[in-house]
Amino acid sequence: MALFQLTARLQPGKGENLRTQYSAFSRNPLSSPPAYARFAGAPLKIHKICNPWRSPTGSLPALRTKDEGSCSQPSQIIIQLRKQKYNADFDLSAKEGADMLAFISLLEERLLPALIYALWIDPKNYVEVTRRWHGENMSFPLNFFQPGRMQNRQLERLRLIRGNSSLEAGEEAEKELYHDALECLNLLSQRLGSNKFFFGDSPSSLDAYVFGHLAPLIKIRLPNCQLQQNLKNLDNLNTFCCNILSLYFPSESKEGVNRPMSSTQQGSDFDNEPYKRRKQLLSVLVAVAAMLSYALFTGIVAIEHVQEGEPIGPASLRGPSHEEEED
Amino acid sequence: MSLAAEAFVSQIAAAEPWPENATLYQPLKEDQILLSDSASSLAVQTFLRMCGLPVLVSCRANAEYMSPSGKVPFIHVGNQVVSELGPIVQFTKAKGHSLSDGLDDVQRAEMKAYMELVNNMLLTAELYIQWCDDHTATEISRPRYSSPYSWPLNHILAYQKQWEVRRKMNAIGWSGKSLEQVYEDVSQCCQALSQRLGTQPYFFSKQPTELDALVFGHLFTILTTQLTNDELAEKVKSYTNLLSFCHRIEQTYFKEHERESQSGSSRHSKGSLP
């Protein structure tokens, strides 16, 4: 089984903190499948790629299994993993299973719209964090228009989810969405109490969903997000996320520390190799084409139509005289 | 409603008691109303009855357009117009009537979560079956939705509504689902509700709350509405405690109106529970 997820290209010296945080928790449901997979102990091969078109389904995250093909929706991915007998919800009672469904619905109705707003619609966050990250990690020429398209799609999605077709980035929408999200966070905090996980001592898919939704809020430093401040006040949710990070994603929680040291040592040219070569080739071609066209237009080089049978002499000497004769 | 408007409405609401002439508006019962709107409307009516607040039900063809948020049902109380169950619950709370005061924090969290579950799964499934299943849309939804209007407006409005619902399904990821998967989701939702209810009379032991009203509204409507096939009703019927829950609420809160509803039952609705 292989799991494809979005990640950053290694580029030395460009806003490393930003990138390391964002790469680990880029899109909210993104982290639910890998988290669930780790909870259930599924042996997954994780492919980190930058270009969504390279994934088997055309979007990320995506899971590919030998028998069942590929799927992209987080809930589908979790169902697939369960079919392969990697089930983190085995020990749950019937009532706990029911509660889990209910809280997942709560998350999707209340918290997800606010997350979409904070990451994609809020102008400051979008320009400084989201668009910059996506632009840096996409190849030319996609990085110019793809983030804009993604933003439009997210705005559309937000409008449809909230049923409000005139929703725009602004204080009113922000207040409403954050108010609902804060209520949801408070409810989650009350439900979690002082337990380690939502249901007992071992994590379940609800923990994966909650982690997937909360991790971006906790880890990505957004310049304009009231919700982040409010979340910092809910200690038990913070502890919950840090716990899961340290237990199940130790490599990624250390990335932020090690990256500044190792990137200068590693030849990151190797990772850049395909794009760098392509860029070089492209720029050389463009330069040659520009020079050729300039030469042609100003007459330094002239292309002659020579009829068959006539002697073809050196173009630079005979060129003008041939033309005179034909005229 | 925006936050500022909500605060304003709550302030005004708190000032006046509940009037006698409060009215609830919904689309025409016999010819126009669809499954999802009927369920929402019944949920609100049940909630108001549980609170002991009188309300007159008025059926209008343009109820959807009169509503401030575009969704039915909505109530007209004194000077205010409030639509959808969530805001109506808050409105009645501002007037001093609440069903969930006796719950502690964890229970309130669970209640809100289960209400979201019903909205997320049951309501979305109802919308899907009505508008995204071609057979149902052609046979039932489009004719009913457009019945008050003349040609060509009826076609335009029906297709517009269908297109709008399909876009929403697309946005939330339901457009890739088949009808069987949707029935499966409904079954899962009912199983969750059934397990939460257990053997108790109401979801939170002895007293009904808005969650009970919402669940009753949806389940009763599903059980008593005739669609192109009975599969949806069958899914609900397989959970006996949910059936007895619906019976109990019908007996307790609607029994004095049972005779009226039976005499006024239409082709679309089967009246009382089987």
Side-chain angles (χ1 to χ4, degrees), chain A residues 211-222:
Chain A
F211 174 70
H213 285 75
L214 288 184
L217 273 182
I218 289 184
K219 284 292 166 181
I220 306 176
R221 248 178 274 141
L222 294 169

Side-chain angles (χ1 to χ4, degrees), chain A residues 73 76 94-95 97-106 108-110 156-157 160-163 172 175-176 179 183 187-188 190-191, chain B residues 1-3 71 105-106 108-110 112-114 116-117 119-121 164 167-168 171-174 181 188-189 191-193 195-196:
Chain A
Q73 290 228 350
Q76 291 282 339
K95 183 171 171 308
D99 279 350
M100 186 175 77
L101 264 183
F103 277 99
I104 290 176
S105 300
L106 184 70
E108 288 187 2
E109 288 278 324
R110 298 289 172 112
E156 188 69 34
R157 188 176 161 204
L160 285 170
I161 291 178
R162 296 292 286 188
E172 200 186 300
K175 271 203 190 131
E176 215 179 299
H179 179 256
E183 201 188 323
L187 292 173
L188 282 174
Q190 277 159 8
R191 182 66 178 76
Chain B
M1 263 203 291
S2 70
L3 275 185
K71 301 223 171 81
D105 286 334
V106 176
R108 194 166 294 136
E110 286 185 6
K112 296 241 161 110
Y114 275 96
E116 290 299 338
L117 176 69
N119 278 332
N120 203 5
M121 285 206 149
E164 202 184 293
R167 274 176 71 211
K168 182 172 179 193
I172 56 179
W174 275 58
Q181 279 172 325
Q188 241 187 8
C189 181
Q191 191 184 30
L193 290 170
Q195 275 154 6
R196 183 67 182 81

Side-chain angles (χ1 to χ4, degrees), chain B residues 120-136:
Chain B
N120 203 5
M121 285 206 149
L122 272 185
L123 183 62
T124 317
E126 287 166 8
L127 281 173
Y128 182 96
I129 292 171
Q130 280 169 205
W131 294 105
C132 297
D133 173 36
D134 288 320
H135 191 44
T136 317

Side-chain angles (χ1 to χ4, degrees), chain A residues 102-210:
Chain A
F103 277 99
I104 290 176
S105 300
L106 184 70
L107 270 180
E108 288 187 2
E109 288 278 324
R110 298 289 172 112
L111 190 53
L112 187 57
L115 267 179
I116 295 178
Y117 183 89
L119 280 173
W120 288 96
I121 317 293
D122 183 277
K124 198 158 182 215
N125 293 341
Y126 171 65
V127 167
E128 287 185 23
V129 177
T130 319
R131 189 174 70 182
R132 200 208 282 185
W133 187 81
H134 281 282
E136 273 176 8
N137 292 288
M138 288 182 181
S139 55
F140 174 87
L142 286 178
N143 57 349
F144 287 120
F145 57 83
Q146 190 74 339
R149 275 179 64 198
M150 288 165 93
Q151 189 198 28
N152 284 335
R153 232 180 294 155
Q154 295 288 2
L155 180 60
E156 188 69 34
R157 188 176 161 204
L158 188 61
R159 282 184 177 158
L160 285 170
I161 291 178
R162 296 292 286 188
N164 180 2
S165 52
S166 58
L167 198 124
E168 286 289 342
E171 228 180 272
E172 200 186 300
E174 188 181 316
K175 271 203 190 131
E176 215 179 299
L177 289 168
Y178 287 177
H179 179 256
D180 280 345
L182 188 57
E183 201 188 323
C184 172
L185 289 173
N186 283 330
L187 292 173
L188 282 174
S189 178
Q190 277 159 8
R191 182 66 178 76
L192 181 63
S194 49
N195 304 333
K196 197 170 169 199
F197 297 110
F198 275 93
F199 300 117
D201 285 331
S202 62
S204 60
S205 36
L206 177 61
D207 299 286
Y209 269 98
V210 173

Side-chain angles (χ1 to χ4, degrees), chain A residues 195-320:
Chain A
N195 304 333
K196 197 170 169 199
F197 297 110
F198 275 93
F199 300 117
D201 285 331
S202 62
S204 60
S205 36
L206 177 61
D207 299 286
Y209 269 98
V210 173
F211 174 70
H213 285 75
L214 288 184
L217 273 182
I218 289 184
K219 284 292 166 181
I220 306 176
R221 248 178 274 141
L222 294 169
N224 184 23
C225 187
Q226 186 58 33
L227 203 56
Q228 269 188 334
Q229 319 300 334
N230 292 331
L231 182 54
K232 288 202 169 81
N233 297 335
L234 293 169
D235 291 324
N236 58 352
L237 289 179
N238 275 316
T239 328
F240 169 77
C241 286
C242 294
N243 211 8
I244 293 193
L245 259 183
S246 56
L247 279 175
Y248 293 98
F249 293 92
S251 53
E252 296 197 354
S253 62
K254 281 190 210 142
E255 245 179 24
V257 175
N258 287 337
R259 187 68 68 88
M261 297 198 310
S262 63
S263 63
T264 47
Q265 294 169 7
Q266 268 194 12
S268 45
D269 261 5
F270 176 75
D271 293 299
N272 274 348
E273 195 68 34
Y275 292 130
K276 195 169 176 189
R277 278 274 171 268
R278 201 194 327 170
K279 275 187 183 165
Q280 283 174 341
L281 193 62
L282 216 58
S283 47
V284 164
L285 277 174
V286 166
V288 167
M291 287 192 284
L292 257 180
S293 52
Y294 178 71
L296 278 172
F297 282 132
T298 52
I300 298 171
V301 172
I303 298 177
E304 295 176 23
H305 297 285
V306 181
Q307 288 181 359
E308 275 182 20
E310 284 191 23
I312 300 169
S316 54
L317 285 174
R318 292 270 211 105

Side-chain angles (χ1 to χ4, degrees), chain A residues 37-53:
Chain A
R38 304 240 179 158
F39 295 164
L44 278 186
K45 196 170 155 202
I46 298 194
H47 296 267
K48 295 193 177 182
I49 55 183
C50 302
N51 190 351
W53 296 345

